[in-house]
Amino acid sequence: SLYALVGFALLPALVRWAFPKFAREQLGCEATVDAVRFNPFRLQFEMSGMKLNDPDGVQLAAFQRLFLDLQAAGINRWTAMFREIRLEKPSLTVVLQKDGSTNLQKLFSASQGTSEPPPEPPSEPTRMILQNVAIVGGRLEVLDRRQPTPAELKIEEFDLTLKDLATVGNRNGTYALSASTHEGETLEWEGDVTLTPIHSRGKISLSNLRSRTLWEFVRDRLNIEPPGGFLNISCAYLLDAASGPMQLSLEGLQMDVSDLSLEVIQTDKPTFHLNKAQLQVPRFRGPQTPVRPRGH
């Protein structure tokens, strides 16, 4: 039938043609896609082998596979209902320029143009229900060029799962995020979240963060050698905007510092050494922040 022909053949061909064209004309980048598939009867979309390079040929973003499983039941309710969204092995390179801008900001500004101000967002959010969302095997590279000696941070493994995330009804979703570097630094973040109204509760922990990793981003402002030592941070949090301005509360905040050593450049002995220190804050409440509604 015509419907099957459009879904199985014409739509994938259109995406493979239109996506590189949009990247070239609107973003000033070169994009390639290995394959695009769409099943019009199951409403399943798949794109594999995507790469996005800047004008100099440097890779900005890529992923191995993107899979979308849309539910037809949501169409009758004017709601984007996804049974599954899965992104496999994505990679992203973020560059902070000397003026504080990023390479991603330049891409977005190029696509939006500067002739007209952006419209005010409507009060109602986009209607959506996401049953299962997963980002698997992600990589993130951050390059900071705001100082004469650039700093670099590479997250070698990044995984994120979201379940039952929605902007309709009072649905309570869950999330879990984990990230690690090749130096053994890890981030664990998990909890539950509601979008309407915004409410989230969970736990976050940062383990084995090297002092040298932080030093890389301020090295030209400090007259010290690469420091030794590790930092561990953990706490529970509550983010709530159900009854007015957004409030952030931290509970059980604990910070541990071990084997910290600082040495002034061109000296023979450490200027400062700390075997171990621990800071505990039972409860902390941050300032209230007005919530701006998100639009379509």
Side-chain angles (χ1 to χ4, degrees):
S1 67
L2 179 61
Y3 178 73
L5 175 63
V6 171
F8 283 110
L10 296 184
L11 181 61
L14 177 62
V15 173
R16 290 194 63 184
W17 170 80
F19 182 72
K21 183 176 185 294
F22 172 83
R24 183 171 56 254
E25 296 180 356
Q26 301 297 324
L27 305 180
C29 298
E30 292 296 324
T32 58
V33 178
D34 288 344
V36 177
R37 300 179 182 88
F38 180 68
N39 188 319
F41 300 107
R42 295 185 176 182
L43 297 182
Q44 294 176 340
F45 175 86
E46 182 177 359
M47 178 187 291
S48 59
M50 193 285 294
K51 295 180 181 179
L52 182 67
N53 298 339
D54 68 12
D56 297 326
V58 178
Q59 182 173 293
L60 297 177
F63 59 76
Q64 186 179 84
R65 177 176 177 262
L66 171 65
F67 176 74
L68 307 177
D69 188 352
L70 181 66
Q71 291 184 281
I75 298 176
N76 296 330
R77 302 185 227 170
W78 296 97
T79 302
M81 296 178 61
F82 288 91
R83 183 180 290 107
E84 182 180 6
I85 298 178
R86 184 177 179 88
L87 184 61
E88 298 176 358
K89 293 188 176 181
S91 64
L92 179 66
T93 301
V94 180
V95 180
L96 281 74
Q97 306 294 352
K98 292 183 178 180
D99 60 359
S101 64
T102 69
N103 56 338
L104 302 183
Q105 285 177 304
K106 292 182 178 179
L107 289 182
F108 294 141
S109 62
S111 63
Q112 295 173 358
T114 58
S115 57
E116 297 182 1
E120 287 294 325
S123 58
E124 293 297 325
T126 301
R127 295 174 58 87
M128 68 174 184
I129 299 175
L130 310 179
Q131 293 183 356
N132 295 281
V133 179
I135 299 177
V136 183
R139 296 181 71 255
L140 173 64
E141 181 176 356
V142 179
L143 182 62
D144 189 348
R145 293 177 175 170
R146 293 176 297 176
Q147 57 184 358
T149 306
E152 188 175 30
L153 174 64
K154 290 185 178 181
I155 296 177
E156 301 292 341
E157 194 73 21
F158 177 91
D159 296 294
L160 172 66
T161 59
L162 296 168
K163 291 184 179 296
D164 298 324
L165 190 68
T167 59
V168 294
N170 191 20
R171 292 173 177 257
N172 189 38
T174 61
Y175 68 89
L177 180 151
S178 64
S180 62
T181 70
H182 69 282
E183 298 288 348
E185 301 157 307
T186 62
L187 171 67
E188 300 288 340
W189 190 0
E190 62 181 8
D192 57 67
V193 59
T194 303
L195 297 181
T196 52
I198 296 177
H199 179 91
S200 180
R201 182 191 299 271
K203 298 179 180 179
I204 184 170
S205 65
L206 184 61
S207 304
N208 299 320
L209 176 62
R210 300 188 312 153
S211 302
R212 178 165 182 158
T213 299
L214 301 175
W215 169 83
E216 291 279 352
F217 291 85
V218 294
R219 61 186 302 174
D220 291 330
R221 305 175 194 172
L222 303 176
N223 189 36
I224 62 173
E225 299 285 355
F230 298 89
L231 176 66
N232 296 281
I233 303 175
S234 63
C235 71
Y237 79 92
L238 173 64
L239 186 67
D240 187 21
S243 57
M246 184 178 297
Q247 298 180 358
L248 173 64
S249 300
L250 304 180
E251 294 185 359
L253 175 63
Q254 181 169 317
M255 181 183 302
D256 297 327
V257 180
S258 59
D259 298 326
L260 177 63
S261 61
L262 304 177
E263 180 180 330
V264 177
I265 294 177
Q266 296 180 347
T267 58
D268 297 331
K269 297 181 179 180
T271 305
F272 176 81
H273 182 77
L274 179 66
N275 288 328
K276 189 173 181 62
Q278 187 177 85
L279 174 66
Q280 294 182 338
V281 180
R283 177 169 293 181
F284 171 81
R285 176 171 292 184
Q288 298 181 351
T289 303
V291 180
R292 188 175 184 179
R294 294 183 178 180
H296 297 276

